[in-house]
Structure formats: C-alpha cells, structure tokens
Amino acid sequence: MRHRSSSLVLAAAALAGAALAPTPASAASRSWSDCGRAATTEAAVQAGLPARLDADRRLTQLLDPRRPSTVYTTASQALCADYDGDGDVDRLALLRCCTVSSPSPFAVLRNDGGRFAIAYARLSDPVFRLSPGRRRTLVERTPVYAAGDPNCCPSRLRERRISWTGERFRSTTRIVRAPR
C-alpha cells in the first residue's frame, strides 16, 4: 500500500532552500515577535511535528478519515525568539484549520545549531489567540462556553501563560471574562 506524503512534508521540500542555519546571538531577540511562516513550517517538519499530529488521538478521531498532517499543513502564525538564551533563534508554529472551534495545534521549536526539536506542544486546544506576553512568556487563550454562548462568542476564556523557567516550560492557567 502506498502512503501519501503529508502536505507539510511537501511544503518543506519546496522550501528546502530556505536557510535554517543558526542566527548569530546578536540577531536573536529574547522576546517573541512575528517571523517567517515558510521557514517556521520547514522547522516544524524537521522537528517531527507532522508525526506528532498524526499520533495525537484526539486529532485523529476528530479528522477521521483524514490524517491531521494533511489538514494542518502550514504555520498560520509564526513567532521567533531566543527563549533559552543560547543565541539561536527558536520558533513557535501555530497551525489552524476548519472552524473557530477546531483544534489549533502549536509547538515551540527549539533551535540547537540549526536542528529543530519540539520543546513544548499543545495539539488539541481550540486557540482563539496566541500572543507574546512579557519577555519570553506566551499567552494562549481558548474559549470557555456557558450554556447559551454562541460558537463565535464565549463568555469566558482560559488564559494559559507559558513561560521558560531556564530548564523547562511551565504553564499557569486562569479563567478570565471574555472581552465584549
């Protein structure tokens, strides 16, 4: 039986000429900021994100019979920072598809001399917004629906702050009122 290559792998092959070489420490910012989606997609493929998507039980159940890696094909948001202070530009890839309530997988990709690995990932959250917080913190907001809330407009949000401790990522969560 022939296996079809995922679209993420095909996209990465098309971008093979994109430079993923380490960035000098002087160019690496400690704060998260927008950066190139094409290079971030390639870094996600190199780190093995398509296989992680395909191995996620919730994603495979929701998208059956499609493989998640064929649905989540490119980074819709890309953030870069040197979160671990080693002088290499690390990346965050947020993948979106389908509807506002669909999971929006994301992964922080650690750059170790031009080789990327997944340092932190959340694959099943329906992310409404993912944004840089203070310094190296990321803020993820996901919906929390009350009984009468329409799909577009939850009354509350789960706000997860994801921070690098110097050794690992740590997250704290709180429920906040959604802006009106």
Side-chain angles (χ1 to χ4, degrees), residues 24-48:
S26 60
S29 169
R30 297 294 292 253
S31 301
W32 292 99
S33 60
D34 289 332
C35 62
R37 289 187 283 171
T40 299
T41 298
E42 186 175 349
V45 170
Q46 184 186 96

Side-chain angles (χ1 to χ4, degrees), residues 7-180:
S7 298
L8 260 176
V9 173
L10 294 175
L15 299 171
L20 286 178
T23 302
S26 60
S29 169
R30 297 294 292 253
S31 301
W32 292 99
S33 60
D34 289 332
C35 62
R37 289 187 283 171
T40 299
T41 298
E42 186 175 349
V45 170
Q46 184 186 96
L49 188 56
R52 285 277 296 269
L53 295 171
D54 290 342
D56 185 89
R57 176 177 281 168
R58 182 159 187 255
L59 290 178
T60 56
Q61 288 173 343
L62 287 170
L63 297 170
D64 187 43
R66 298 174 295 169
R67 289 191 340 240
S69 63
T70 65
V71 175
Y72 297 103
T73 58
T74 58
S76 63
Q77 182 180 5
L79 298 174
C80 289
D82 178 17
Y83 76 81
D84 56 3
D86 66 357
D88 292 328
V89 175
D90 307 298
R91 295 178 176 273
L92 176 135
L94 172 67
L95 311 172
R96 294 192 188 271
C97 91
C98 316
T99 68
V100 69
S101 60
S102 296
S104 303
F106 71 90
V108 176
L109 309 168
R110 184 174 186 276
N111 182 352
D112 187 12
R115 294 290 309 162
F116 286 89
I118 298 170
Y120 180 88
R122 295 201 55 89
L123 303 181
S124 300
D125 295 346
V127 177
F128 267 26
R129 182 180 170 118
L130 184 61
S131 57
R134 290 183 152 187
R135 299 191 43 136
R136 292 169 276 175
T137 301
L138 295 163
V139 180
E140 171 197 9
R141 291 183 182 89
T142 59
V144 177
Y145 294 99
D149 290 350
N151 201 26
C152 69
C153 309
S155 55
R156 296 176 298 154
L157 298 172
R158 178 172 289 108
E159 184 179 271
R160 178 174 283 112
R161 292 188 174 277
I162 305 160
S163 305
W164 178 248
T165 67
E167 296 178 7
R168 63 181 179 84
F169 281 98
R170 177 180 67 106
S171 67
T172 57
T173 305
R174 67 182 184 146
I175 304 297
V176 297
R177 175 175 256 164
R180 296 277 173 198

